[in-house]
Amino acid sequence: MEKEIEDRFVALETKIAFMDDFISKLQEEAVENQRMIQILREENQILAGRIQDLQENQEIPNRCPPHY
């Protein structure tokens, strides 16, 4: 009986160790994803600003495409 309890206890400790490792890796991945999202947002703002500048500084003629 005591051996069975010890085996169950070891199995639970093993599961907890794997879960701790998984949670740690998941947290690292979430932090990395958040960092990447922030970088992409900043790049998107820069590009949106450039597009806005181009639209304001350059008038695009309204012509038909060459295949018409």
Side-chain angles (χ1 to χ4, degrees):
M1 182 74 172
E2 190 174 310
K3 177 69 173 157
E4 181 182 324
I5 293 172
E6 184 178 336
D7 289 344
R8 291 179 69 188
F9 186 71
V10 169
L12 287 173
E13 285 181 329
T14 303
K15 286 181 181 182
I16 289 171
F18 278 115
M19 289 170 66
D20 282 344
D21 183 56
F22 176 75
I23 290 169
S24 176
K25 289 178 182 177
L26 189 61
Q27 183 177 6
E28 289 173 11
E29 191 68 27
V31 169
E32 177 63 24
N33 286 344
Q34 186 61 38
R35 187 183 69 78
M36 184 58 70
I37 288 170
Q38 185 61 36
I39 289 171
L40 291 172
R41 282 182 177 160
E42 291 169 2
E43 289 177 355
N44 189 25
Q45 287 177 343
I46 291 169
L47 291 173
R50 288 183 182 172
I51 290 171
Q52 185 68 28
D53 289 344
L54 287 174
Q55 288 176 345
E56 291 173 358
N57 295 331
Q58 183 180 24
E59 190 169 315
I60 301 172
N62 190 7
R63 292 186 260 170
C64 291
H67 63 276
Y68 278 108

